[in-house]
Every structure is written in C-alpha cells, then in structure tokens.
Amino acid sequence: MSTLVEDNPAKHRFEILVDDALAGFTAYLMRGEVLVFTHTEVDRGFQGKGVGGALMRGTLDEVRARGATVVPQCPFMAAFIDKHPEYADLVADLP
C-alpha cells in the first residue's frame, strides 16, 4: 500500500492518497503562520488500517518543515498529538 500526504490549498486541507485513491483529509483554516485544523475524515473503506495516523504524521511533518504551527480543534488531531508528544511543540495558542 503506497500512501502520499499532500496539501490541497484550494480546498484548505491535507489529503492522503492510498494507491492513488483519496482515502482521507484533514481540513484547516489559515491564521497567518498558524493552521487551525477543524475536521478530519478517513474514508470508511480505509478505517482501521493506520491511514488516519499516516495522515496526521504526514500533515504535521509538513507543518514542521514549513516552520508553521497548529491549533488542533479537531478531536482526532488533538488525540493524535496527545499520544505522540514529539509533535506537541507544533501546538500554538490563537492570539
């Protein structure tokens, strides 16, 4: 199974493709250099296969590479960051 996480700025979301099929996304709002993540969805056919975790890792790694930060309003992302404290430094407070 090949996966690719990429930003789709036109739709304000990071998407995960599994074998070239859209398997899920995490939506965000831009607030300067802060990305406020509001919602995550994984297609039912891909649930329970690690796709959500791969989406979070790919998204947060890209945010880190950009030098940006996140506000995880989405419960899925918030829970992922709680379980993976290596990403806790990316969490910002909204001004």
Side-chain angles (χ1 to χ4, degrees):
M1 177 169 75
S2 72
T3 61
L4 170 69
V5 175
E6 59 187 5
D7 189 8
N8 182 338
K11 292 189 175 181
H12 303 285
R13 67 189 195 180
F14 281 83
E15 299 173 340
I16 187 164
L17 303 175
V18 176
D19 297 331
D20 296 324
L22 179 63
F25 66 88
T26 185
Y28 62 84
L29 303 170
M30 290 297 303
R31 297 288 183 261
E33 290 299 309
V34 178
L35 288 85
V36 180
F37 284 88
T38 58
H39 181 71
T40 300
E41 279 187 33
V42 173
D43 185 272
R44 197 167 296 226
F46 293 98
Q47 290 177 0
K49 299 179 180 178
V51 171
L55 172 60
M56 292 297 104
R57 277 186 205 86
T59 298
L60 293 168
D61 289 344
E62 176 62 26
V63 168
R64 177 172 280 136
R66 293 180 187 181
T69 55
V70 302
V71 173
Q73 289 182 348
C74 165
F76 188 86
M77 179 176 275
F80 182 87
I81 292 171
D82 283 345
K83 290 178 189 159
H84 298 88
E86 64 271 24
Y87 293 111
D89 62 308
L90 295 176
V91 177
D93 291 322
L94 278 179

